[in-house]
Amino acid sequence: YECNPESPSADKLKAIALLIQGDLAQAGDFAQKAIAKDPCEELPYQVIVQVYPEKSFEETISPIPNDKRTKANAAFAIAEVARKKG
């Protein structure tokens, strides 16, 4: 990200890095930026699902459009959140 913040994939990669580091708020912000730039990209939705541990399952998946919920990345994240929330 720091080398080329204007790259089309910069925000989504930064979001993933921040998620791995445990900075959920910043990860969510960068994922939202990535979605705003390219709503067809799947990876930011995977991040969005994982950054709201305090929300209910329904609230957690509500930002994900229905057509994205069945894509591999988002579906995996949704399943992981469902498993954790019981």
Side-chain angles (χ1 to χ4, degrees):
Y1 179 86
E2 284 74 17
C3 294
N4 190 3
E6 299 305 316
S7 166
S9 60
D11 290 327
K12 74 176 178 185
L13 295 176
K14 182 73 170 185
I16 292 167
L18 290 164
L19 180 65
I20 291 168
Q21 293 172 350
D23 189 343
L24 302 183
Q26 286 282 4
D29 291 345
F30 276 93
Q32 291 290 1
K33 288 180 190 177
I35 291 168
K37 287 181 182 176
D38 184 4
C40 293
E41 176 60 55
E42 294 177 32
L43 283 172
Y45 294 105
Q46 179 180 5
V47 174
I48 290 294
V49 169
Q50 298 180 64
V51 297
Y52 302 114
E54 73 284 351
K55 291 186 176 184
S56 71
F57 179 74
E58 291 77 18
E59 291 173 314
T60 300
I61 66 168
S62 67
I64 312 303
N66 286 336
D67 65 323
K68 299 291 182 224
R69 292 179 187 180
T70 58
K71 303 294 183 185
N73 291 316
F76 176 80
I78 290 169
E80 219 15 56
V81 168
R83 184 185 65 76
K84 288 179 182 176
K85 292 186 183 287

